[in-house]
Amino acid sequence: MSFITEAFAMAGPQGAAGAPAPSGTEMLMQFLPLILMFIIFYFLLIRPQQKRAKAHKAMLSALKKGDYVMTSAGLLGRILELDDEKVTIECGDAKLLLSRAAIGGVVDKDGKAVEAEKK
């Protein structure tokens, strides 16, 4: 137990009057790795996710009657009716009422994804 007491005694006073205050550049150099990590996360994770969400929202707003769609659950069907929040699709002999947000993408009659037009 005396070893712990001696170790603290050898450490010196915290915030000694003789220690210089860190300058602005030293503070910046300490936070530089955190800033760089945030920039990397932004370009690798956040920005692509925002672009995907924006493209999905544009696709949902461009839906029209007669489009073939695939739901997020994997069902394929043709849009019979749609309004602001709901979509009725024909899937085989069944008519399904879905939320508009449940549409995963527009497909052709064979179920292959249709490329969105680039603007």
Side-chain angles (χ1 to χ4, degrees):
M1 292 278 186
S2 66
F3 175 72
I4 295 172
T5 307
E6 292 172 10
F8 282 123
M10 293 173 56
Q14 296 289 331
S23 67
T25 56
E26 289 176 5
M27 293 288 285
L28 179 65
M29 294 306 280
Q30 287 178 349
F31 287 112
L32 190 63
L34 285 173
I35 294 168
L36 289 175
M37 280 187 354
F38 178 76
I39 291 170
I40 290 169
F41 276 122
Y42 177 77
F43 282 107
L44 293 180
L45 298 173
I46 299 169
R47 189 167 175 245
Q49 182 64 30
Q50 287 175 341
K51 287 178 113 177
R52 272 191 297 270
K54 187 177 179 182
H56 187 257
K57 187 176 181 181
M59 182 271 303
L60 288 178
S61 65
L63 289 176
K64 59 188 179 297
K65 199 173 187 178
D67 283 347
Y68 286 87
V69 294
M70 180 183 286
T71 67
S72 56
L75 296 172
L76 296 170
R78 183 173 55 94
I79 296 178
L80 297 176
E81 299 174 21
L82 70 149
D83 62 16
D84 291 342
E85 295 181 17
K86 297 177 185 171
V87 177
T88 303
I89 66 169
E90 179 183 37
C91 186
D93 293 333
K95 292 181 183 177
L96 305 172
L97 182 64
L98 302 170
S99 167
R100 195 174 188 128
I103 304 296
V106 178
V107 296
D108 60 8
K109 289 182 181 182
D110 299 327
K112 294 184 179 155
V114 176
E115 292 293 322
E117 295 179 19
K118 301 224 176 189
K119 294 184 179 182

